Amino acid sequence: MVKHHHHKILDCTIRDGGLVNDWDFSVEFVQDMYRGLSAAGVEYMEIGYKNSEKLLKGGSSGPWRFLNEAFLRDVITRKTDTKLSALVDIGRVDENDILPREDSLLDLIRVACYIKDVDKGLELVRKFHDMGYETSLNIMALSHVMENELVEAFEDINKSPVDVVYIVDSYGSMDYKDIDYLVTKFQRLLPEKELGLHMHNNMQLAFSNTLMGADKGVTFLDSSVYGMGRAAGNCTTELLLSNLKNPRYDVRPVLEIIEKHMIGMRQKWDWGYLIPYMIVGALDEHPRTAMAHLNSADRDKCVEFYDKLTSPETAPSAQKA
Amino acid sequence: MVKHHHHKILDCTIRDGGLVNDWDFSVEFVQDMYRGLSAAGVEYMEIGYKNSEKLLKGGSSGPWRFLNEAFLRDVITRKTDTKLSALVDIGRVDENDILPREDSLLDLIRVACYIKDVDKGLELVRKFHDMGYETSLNIMALSHVMENELVEAFEDINKSPVDVVYIVDSYGSMDYKDIDYLVTKFQRLLPEKELGLHMHNNMQLAFSNTLMGADKGVTFLDSSVYGMGRAAGNCTTELLLSNLKNPRYDVRPVLEIIEKHMIGMRQKWDWGYLIPYMIVGALDEHPRTAMAHLNSADRDKCVEFYDKLTSPETAPSAQKA
């Protein structure tokens, strides 16, 4: 018997994809995205970051990086049953920017943090929770976290009102055994919380990792249309819609978004399986070095990049020591 | 304790990748491929098809489709410990073209067939075996095979001298549960045979499926450099080299091949995660309709393609009925 876990797809194309093109998305595109995801049966759409422009010199970034409620009302003129979420980073959010949920178009606020900042993350979570929002805590870079740190953080998380706790594979370095291990651990130590997965596709494992997590009972599944997200991108929304068993899902409206917008975007901006991203994934390193390499004139020189990352003198891990 | 299964990587870039560009590979490229795979520690390189030009109107296809021993000696002037293999198709091979192994550069001859032709496949296997070759039987399109057909074929396979039996996901439609199921069944019913996996990447599952099979004890793992293979392509050689634990493996020489040759090839020829391939994978259909669509003027109209494949009147499955 297959248990029905009531999976929820959270599409984060606008938020994570914005890291690819500095949030250069037109209002029409975001409107098409919301209509398409709604028609496809996707449960949540993350429409951007709710960081503060004052706290983060955003410069020319598009409006989706600093969501503003009045602007949002111009974009989303008719709310469907697809809920809206926004992500905030520790230290980059001005709580005074956030309206109570009854005055907001947002339903879910997600707080991203590293393990060392879980206390600060949970402080934000509590405020948003008290304002009426659904909340999640997205713990980044879990492949670099030691067991004892994790267990300590779990004690605080269990005492907090957070609804969903996310396993985030920031470096795209996890395989199915890592997911199996982490999900089992999170389920055992956080029995009252819903779990989420946010995977990156450096090693072409984002979809399979998400699928395995879903089968193990993870409910919140992050994805992006055509995989558009930072560096190698994410689990694709169209693969989840095509493969999860749920009569509510229909991939066709998402194919329409891809045809109308994403194929052209992919020609303009880079994401997906590019060798420098594969290399940092396999080495379990932050993608920033690969992103810089791909923005340089030597972008196709992947051997030089590999040598730099693996030589004892120039490896990022050597610089940390 | 992790068992060491003595995995063997079989790189089939020249053979399966030739289905992308009609075997338009230069001698220099194939030589670089052999040198690079040898330096990387890859155990086998499939250097083409050994089908007969007389039996298959090849027209302008490159020489790698109809391997000829004299030509091969010009290409491979120094044999390394990376063995060479060739694939033959039932009804397309002239056995008189094949020299005894002691006079050939080839070590392994692989016979590809559908389940209904396993008897014919095993007849060829026996001949190649008697000529001294290692042999494999590659059973294609397993996602469309009924259990009873499989069990019947296994009886004949067990009586044959074939060394390796391959699970081939021709349609790129299998996920980890399918691999788990098939590998378990093959291991139980073919206890004396080594197993192999040949995956296609329509749903970005080729690498994860191969990894799961390897962990379950499958020894022969097919891959291609940068994933170059028919339609969505294969599990990539660079991901296997980066992730399998074996001190013999080194990904760097394969990165050199990618930098020198494959990035340019990918700009000229299409393979990989393209939406029509994702669609046929999710629908468990042969990729030929998607390949034709991508060769048409309407190649970016993926919604039209999806509608054609899913409407009751025009779906391939309707035409079979």
Side-chain angles (χ1 to χ4, degrees):
Chain A
M1 297 293 287
V2 176
K3 275 189 288 183
H4 195 275
H5 290 297
H6 303 291
H7 300 127
K8 289 156 189 164
I9 300 177
L10 188 149
D11 183 282
C12 57
T13 312
I14 306 303
R15 201 268 311 159
D16 207 324
L19 291 158
V20 172
N21 68 351
D22 210 14
W23 295 273
D24 184 10
F25 296 121
S26 69
V27 167
E28 185 208 1
F29 172 67
V30 177
Q31 289 175 328
D32 284 351
M33 182 68 73
Y34 187 61
R35 266 192 298 263
L37 293 175
S38 299
V42 170
E43 286 85 352
Y44 288 82
M45 165 166 153
E46 189 152 84
I47 195 163
Y49 278 98
K50 186 114 184 87
N51 287 331
S52 162
E53 207 158 355
K54 289 162 284 180
L55 297 177
L56 186 71
K57 278 133 212 71
S60 59
S61 293
W64 321 103
R65 194 176 192 188
F66 310 105
L67 286 175
N68 162 310
E69 202 74 46
F71 172 72
L72 213 47
R73 292 211 171 265
D74 288 340
V75 178
I76 306 292
T77 51
R78 200 181 66 79
K79 190 97 178 269
T80 66
D81 71 346
T82 295
K83 293 180 175 177
L84 291 172
S85 79
L87 191 76
V88 301
D89 291 316
I90 304 287
R92 293 179 175 176
V93 57
D94 181 349
E95 300 146 39
N96 302 316
D97 283 351
I98 314 242
L99 301 178
R101 181 175 177 182
E102 62 262 31
D103 302 324
S104 171
L105 282 172
L106 298 174
D107 302 282
L108 163 65
I109 299 187
R110 310 205 298 169
V111 178
C113 68
Y114 292 102
I115 194 83
K116 68 177 177 53
D117 291 325
V118 160
D119 55 336
K120 296 195 186 77
L122 290 174
E123 199 184 343
L124 281 175
V125 158
R126 187 174 298 277
K127 284 179 183 157
F128 300 137
H129 173 81
D130 289 347
M131 295 168 90
Y133 293 98
E134 301 172 30
T135 57
S136 81
L137 187 74
N138 296 21
I139 311 178
M140 298 186 287
L142 273 172
S143 60
H144 286 198
V145 172
M146 288 196 304
E147 179 101 5
N148 60 329
E149 300 174 283
L150 203 57
V151 170
E152 205 180 305
F154 283 161
E155 291 175 20
D156 293 336
I157 293 171
N158 275 322
K159 288 184 223 139
S160 86
V162 71
D163 300 301
V164 189
V165 182
Y166 261 89
I167 296 168
V168 181
D169 180 18
S170 305
Y171 302 160
S173 63
M174 293 184 189
D175 66 18
Y176 74 93
K177 284 177 282 194
D178 301 315
I179 297 304
D180 188 42
Y181 165 78
L182 284 173
V183 170
T184 302
K185 176 166 288 292
F186 275 57
Q187 283 173 330
R188 187 163 57 80
L189 296 176
L190 299 169
E192 313 278 299
K193 303 300 184 189
E194 285 199 80
L195 298 185
L197 282 178
H198 180 91
M199 299 289 115
H200 278 277
N201 206 29
N202 300 60
M203 300 201 291
Q204 303 190 351
L205 294 175
F207 173 52
S208 71
N209 286 346
T210 304
L211 211 54
M212 161 150 293
D215 286 335
K216 286 183 65 83
V218 172
T219 46
F220 276 73
L221 309 175
D222 277 21
S223 64
S224 57
V225 177
Y226 212 38
M228 187 183 190
R230 185 172 67 171
N234 310 108
C235 172
T236 83
T237 305
E238 63 274 16
L239 278 169
L240 284 184
L241 289 169
S242 300
N243 284 277
L244 292 177
K245 305 273 178 262
N246 187 335
R248 127 181 208 114
Y249 292 147
D250 177 13
V251 72
R252 193 181 185 282
V254 165
L255 297 178
E256 288 178 346
I257 299 170
I258 294 173
E259 180 172 322
K260 183 170 176 191
H261 297 286
M262 309 301 293
I263 289 173
M265 281 191 189
R266 182 60 187 80
Q267 277 158 3
K268 198 164 160 193
W269 296 297
D270 263 344
W271 71 86
Y273 184 70
L274 299 164
I275 293 296
Y277 297 144
M278 188 284 287
I279 292 171
V280 291
L283 296 173
D284 191 15
E285 297 281 359
H286 194 287
R288 68 172 74 83
T289 50
M291 294 167 81
H293 179 78
L294 284 164
N295 280 324
S296 75
D298 292 336
R299 56 171 287 140
D300 288 338
K301 296 192 177 158
C302 57
V303 177
E304 191 180 297
F305 178 71
Y306 178 77
D307 287 345
K308 204 163 78 182
L309 256 76
T310 52
S311 101
E313 289 77 34
T314 54
S317 52
Q319 287 161 19
K320 266 178 269 168
Chain B
M1 297 291 289
V2 176
K3 274 189 289 179
H4 195 278
H5 291 297
H6 303 290
H7 300 126
K8 289 156 189 163
I9 301 177
L10 188 151
D11 183 282
C12 57
T13 313
I14 307 301
R15 202 267 312 161
D16 208 326
L19 290 158
V20 171
N21 68 351
D22 210 12
W23 293 273
D24 185 9
F25 296 122
S26 70
V27 167
E28 185 208 1
F29 172 68
V30 176
Q31 288 174 330
D32 284 352
M33 182 67 73
Y34 187 62
R35 266 192 300 264
L37 292 175
S38 300
V42 170
E43 287 84 351
Y44 288 82
M45 165 167 153
E46 189 152 86
I47 195 161
Y49 277 98
K50 187 116 183 83
N51 287 331
S52 163
E53 208 158 354
K54 288 163 285 180
L55 296 177
L56 187 70
K57 278 134 212 69
S60 58
S61 293
W64 321 102
R65 194 176 192 189
F66 309 105
L67 286 175
N68 162 310
E69 202 74 46
F71 172 74
L72 213 48
R73 293 212 168 263
D74 288 340
V75 177
I76 305 293
T77 51
R78 199 180 67 77
K79 190 96 179 268
T80 67
D81 70 345
T82 296
K83 293 180 176 176
L84 292 173
S85 80
L87 191 75
V88 301
D89 290 317
I90 304 287
R92 292 179 176 176
V93 56
D94 180 348
E95 298 145 39
N96 301 316
D97 282 353
I98 315 242
L99 300 179
R101 180 175 178 184
E102 62 262 30
D103 302 324
S104 171
L105 282 172
L106 299 174
D107 301 284
L108 164 64
I109 299 186
R110 310 205 298 169
V111 178
C113 68
Y114 292 102
I115 193 83
K116 68 177 177 55
D117 291 324
V118 160
D119 54 337
K120 296 195 186 77
L122 290 174
E123 198 185 342
L124 282 174
V125 158
R126 187 174 298 275
K127 284 180 184 157
F128 299 138
H129 173 80
D130 290 346
M131 295 168 90
Y133 292 99
E134 301 173 28
T135 57
S136 81
L137 187 73
N138 296 20
I139 311 178
M140 298 186 288
L142 273 171
S143 61
H144 285 198
V145 172
M146 287 195 303
E147 180 100 4
N148 60 330
E149 301 174 282
L150 204 56
V151 170
E152 204 180 304
F154 283 162
E155 290 175 22
D156 292 334
I157 293 171
N158 275 322
K159 287 184 225 141
S160 86
V162 71
D163 300 302
V164 189
V165 182
Y166 262 88
I167 296 167
V168 182
D169 180 18
S170 305
Y171 302 159
S173 63
M174 293 183 188
D175 67 16
Y176 74 92
K177 284 177 281 191
D178 301 314
I179 297 303
D180 189 41
Y181 164 77
L182 284 174
V183 171
T184 303
K185 175 165 290 289
F186 275 57
Q187 283 172 331
R188 187 165 55 81
L189 296 176
L190 300 169
E192 313 276 301
K193 303 300 183 188
E194 286 198 81
L195 298 185
L197 283 178
H198 180 91
M199 299 287 116
H200 278 276
N201 206 29
N202 300 60
M203 299 202 291
Q204 302 190 354
L205 294 175
F207 174 51
S208 72
N209 285 345
T210 303
L211 213 53
M212 160 147 296
D215 286 336
K216 287 184 65 83
V218 172
T219 46
F220 276 73
L221 310 175
D222 278 21
S223 64
S224 57
V225 177
Y226 213 39
M228 186 183 191
R230 186 172 67 172
N234 310 108
C235 172
T236 84
T237 304
E238 63 273 17
L239 279 168
L240 284 185
L241 289 169
S242 300
N243 284 277
L244 292 178
K245 305 275 178 259
N246 186 336
R248 138 183 198 109
Y249 293 146
D250 178 13
V251 72
R252 193 181 185 282
V254 165
L255 297 178
E256 288 179 346
I257 299 170
I258 293 173
E259 179 171 323
K260 183 170 175 191
H261 297 285
M262 308 301 293
I263 290 174
M265 280 191 191
R266 182 60 187 79
Q267 278 158 3
K268 198 164 159 192
W269 295 298
D270 263 345
W271 71 86
Y273 185 70
L274 299 164
I275 293 297
Y277 297 144
M278 188 283 287
I279 291 172
V280 289
L283 296 173
D284 191 16
E285 296 282 0
H286 194 286
R288 70 172 72 84
T289 50
M291 294 167 80
H293 179 78
L294 284 163
N295 279 325
S296 75
D298 292 336
R299 56 171 286 141
D300 288 338
K301 297 193 177 159
C302 57
V303 177
E304 191 180 296
F305 178 70
Y306 178 78
D307 287 346
K308 205 163 76 180
L309 256 75
T310 52
S311 101
E313 288 78 33
T314 53
S317 51
Q319 287 160 19
K320 266 179 271 168

